[in-house]
């Protein structure tokens, strides 16, 4: 009896340390990732106060790092590098993923990071739409209620900013429209990407590293081609060669984006999607607070109310799902945060 209690105690302690490892890993990598995004796209470099404008170059660097690491993971685990699904399906995910990330980076030129982060919480709406269209999924009334409340909170946060000049390019308040349009593009493309990834996993016997490797490899080729066609490749290289601190920021951004993939996979595998969703909601809240402190973003009282509505709704959803999972087998859930945001 004493031995059984000792074994249970050791298991509980191991689970606690695994939880600490998962939470600290996700919080550290993705909070740093968010701060670096904002610094690279919104803070000028050098004595001449030059802004880095080549968001597709960031996509290319991120995808190059992730594809290299996922290839190493496949080789280390002695799993086949051959594609499991037709290559064009990986390419389709890559195209929408590049559009997702580009919209995300470009939006930071026109809206603040707190606005962008809170708007990402509304990603369940396009996921529900695409899920119904592509996967023929059906959702409950509570899901629609949470989606409505999140949208309401995001709208309040965006429509009632504390300051007028929200763009680092000093073009005034009109940029809110373009910034919100880019975020709408981000949400639409991201919703399609995650839903199609879900379909790909269910349709084929596919390892996560296999999908990551081929989608990021396709993304490398496509983003590299886009940089050449736009004439931005040499301009981006010239910029980082003149501003070494920008090169360091981009290298660190790619590193933490790739590292976050490991922590995300580990957390979902060890604790499940519900625990992961709660951690990610907390991470978004922490990112907004840290960004407001670090980059001196003022918040109006309306924005504070909007934040409470959004995060209150998400925590209520996580709590309800957790209770349901303890009492009965969980129903099919919305795909949530399957990757590092924008990675």
């Amino acid at each position: 009896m004493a031995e059984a209690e000792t074994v249970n105690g050791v298991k509980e302690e191991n689970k606690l340390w695994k939880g600490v490892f998962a939470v600290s890993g996700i919080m550290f990598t993705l909070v740093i990732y968010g701060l670096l995004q904002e610094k690279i796209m919104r803070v000028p470099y050098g004595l001449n106060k030059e802004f880095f404008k080549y968001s597709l170059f960031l996509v290319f660097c991120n995808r190059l790092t992730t594809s290299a690491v996922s290839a190493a993971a496949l080789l280390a685990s002695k799993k086949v590098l051959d594609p499991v699904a037709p290559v064009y399906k990986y390419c389709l995910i890559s195209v929408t993923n590049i559009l997702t990330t580009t919209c995300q980076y470009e939006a930071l030129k026109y809206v603040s990071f707190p606005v962008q982060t809170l708007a990402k919480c509304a990603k369940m709406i396009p996921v529900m739409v695409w899920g119904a269209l592509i996967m023929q999924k059906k959702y409950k009334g509570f899901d629609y209620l949470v989606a409505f409340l999140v949208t309401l909170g995001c709208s309040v946060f965006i429509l009632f900013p504390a300051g007028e000049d929200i763009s680092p390019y000093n073009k005034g308040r009109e940029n809110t429209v373009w910034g919100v349009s880019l975020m709408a593009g981000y949400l639409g493309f991201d919703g399609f990407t995650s839903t199609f990834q879900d379909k790909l996993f269910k349709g084929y016997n596919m390892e996560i590293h296999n999908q990551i490797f081929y989608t990021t490899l396709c993304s490398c080729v496509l983003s590299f081609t886009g940089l050449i066609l736009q004439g931005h490749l040499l301009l981006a290289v010239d910029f980082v060669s003149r501003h070494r601190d920008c090169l360091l920021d981009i290298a660190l951004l790619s590193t933490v984006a790739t590292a976050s993939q490991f922590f995300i996979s580990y957390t979902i595998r060890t604790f499940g999607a519900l625990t992961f969703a709660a951690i990610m909601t907390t991470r978004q809240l922490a990112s907004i607070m840290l960004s407001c402190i670090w980059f001196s973003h003022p918040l109006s009282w309306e924005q504070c109310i909007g934040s409470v509505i959004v995060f209150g709704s998400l925590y209520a959803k996580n709590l309800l799902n957790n209770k349901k999972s303890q009492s009965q087998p969980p129903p099919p859930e919305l795909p949530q945060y399957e990757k590092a945001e924008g990675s």
Side-chain angles (χ1 to χ4, degrees):
M1 187 70 179
E3 288 182 5
E5 287 180 359
T6 305
V7 170
N8 288 335
V10 170
K11 284 183 178 179
E12 286 298 318
E13 188 177 347
N14 287 340
K15 191 174 181 181
L16 175 65
W17 283 112
K18 284 179 180 179
V20 170
F21 176 71
V23 172
S24 57
I26 287 175
M27 295 289 284
F28 177 77
T29 55
L30 291 185
V31 168
I32 295 297
Y33 177 81
L35 289 175
L36 285 170
Q37 277 185 81
E38 184 164 18
K39 184 187 176 190
I40 293 168
M41 297 305 297
R42 291 178 64 90
V43 177
Y45 288 92
L47 296 174
N48 295 327
K49 303 293 181 184
E50 295 179 81
F51 287 99
F52 184 83
K53 301 177 181 178
Y54 316 106
S55 52
L56 201 56
F57 185 74
L58 297 181
V59 178
F60 172 69
C61 293
N62 283 2
R63 300 304 180 270
L64 188 65
T65 307
T66 307
S67 60
V69 172
S70 56
L74 283 170
L75 291 171
S77 56
K78 297 181 180 177
K79 288 172 182 170
V80 245
L81 275 173
D82 297 335
V84 178
V87 176
Y88 78 88
K89 293 192 175 182
Y90 293 108
C91 287
L92 183 58
I93 291 176
S94 296
V95 170
T96 56
N97 187 252
I98 286 175
L99 291 170
T100 298
T101 314
T102 304
C103 284
Q104 174 183 324
Y105 289 142
E106 286 294 312
L108 279 173
K109 294 178 181 179
Y110 308 103
V111 297
S112 67
F113 179 77
V115 169
Q116 187 204 66
T117 303
L118 201 74
K120 286 178 185 177
C121 296
K123 74 190 312 182
M124 65 174 61
I125 299 163
V127 166
M128 289 171 75
V129 172
W130 287 118
L133 293 174
I134 297 174
M135 308 279 287
Q136 285 78 52
K137 287 187 177 182
K138 292 182 180 178
Y139 301 100
K140 295 182 178 179
F142 182 72
D143 292 320
Y144 290 106
L145 176 62
V146 172
F148 169 76
L149 289 173
V150 168
T151 307
L152 177 65
C154 290
S155 302
V156 169
F157 196 93
I158 292 167
L159 292 172
F160 297 96
E164 288 294 315
D165 188 10
I166 58 171
S167 170
Y169 298 93
N170 294 318
K171 295 179 183 175
R173 171 102 168 121
E174 62 187 9
N175 290 296
T176 306
V177 176
W178 182 229
V180 171
S181 300
L182 285 167
M183 284 310 301
Y186 163 83
L187 291 170
F189 290 128
D190 188 62
F192 177 85
T193 303
S194 58
T195 307
F196 198 75
Q197 279 179 318
D198 192 28
K199 186 173 183 178
L200 214 57
F201 273 123
K202 289 177 180 176
Y204 299 89
N205 186 19
M206 183 181 292
E207 287 285 335
I208 187 169
H209 289 298
N210 183 281
Q211 188 187 107
I212 290 173
F213 172 68
Y214 278 99
T215 53
T216 52
L217 188 63
C218 290
S219 295
C220 279
V221 175
L222 292 170
S223 55
F224 184 76
T225 306
L227 283 168
I228 292 174
L229 292 176
Q230 290 177 342
H232 286 177
L233 180 62
L234 294 179
L235 291 173
V237 171
D238 175 63
F239 188 96
V240 297
S241 65
R242 287 185 292 107
H243 303 287
R244 296 300 173 89
D245 50 341
C246 181
L247 178 63
L248 181 63
D249 288 340
I250 292 172
L252 188 56
L253 180 79
S254 300
T255 303
V256 294
T258 303
S260 67
Q261 294 281 355
F262 165 75
F263 288 109
I264 287 170
S265 301
Y266 175 81
T267 304
I268 293 173
R269 188 173 65 247
T270 309
F271 299 100
L274 294 176
T275 302
F276 176 60
I279 294 170
M280 288 301 289
T281 303
T282 306
R283 195 279 305 175
Q284 286 178 315
L285 183 58
S287 293
I288 289 175
M289 292 173 65
L290 191 56
S291 176
C292 289
I293 295 168
W294 195 277
F295 295 103
S296 304
H297 295 302
L299 288 180
S300 64
W301 65 268
E302 292 96 342
Q303 286 181 313
C304 293
I305 291 173
S307 302
V308 170
I309 293 171
V310 170
F311 289 110
S313 302
L314 293 175
Y315 278 121
K317 183 178 185 296
N318 292 334
L319 185 63
L320 188 66
N321 285 340
N322 190 42
K323 285 183 179 178
K324 284 183 179 178
S325 69
Q326 290 173 359
S327 59
Q328 59 185 23
E333 290 182 6
L334 298 175
Q336 297 192 54
Y337 307 101
E338 69 298 325
K339 59 185 186 311
E341 296 176 29
S343 66

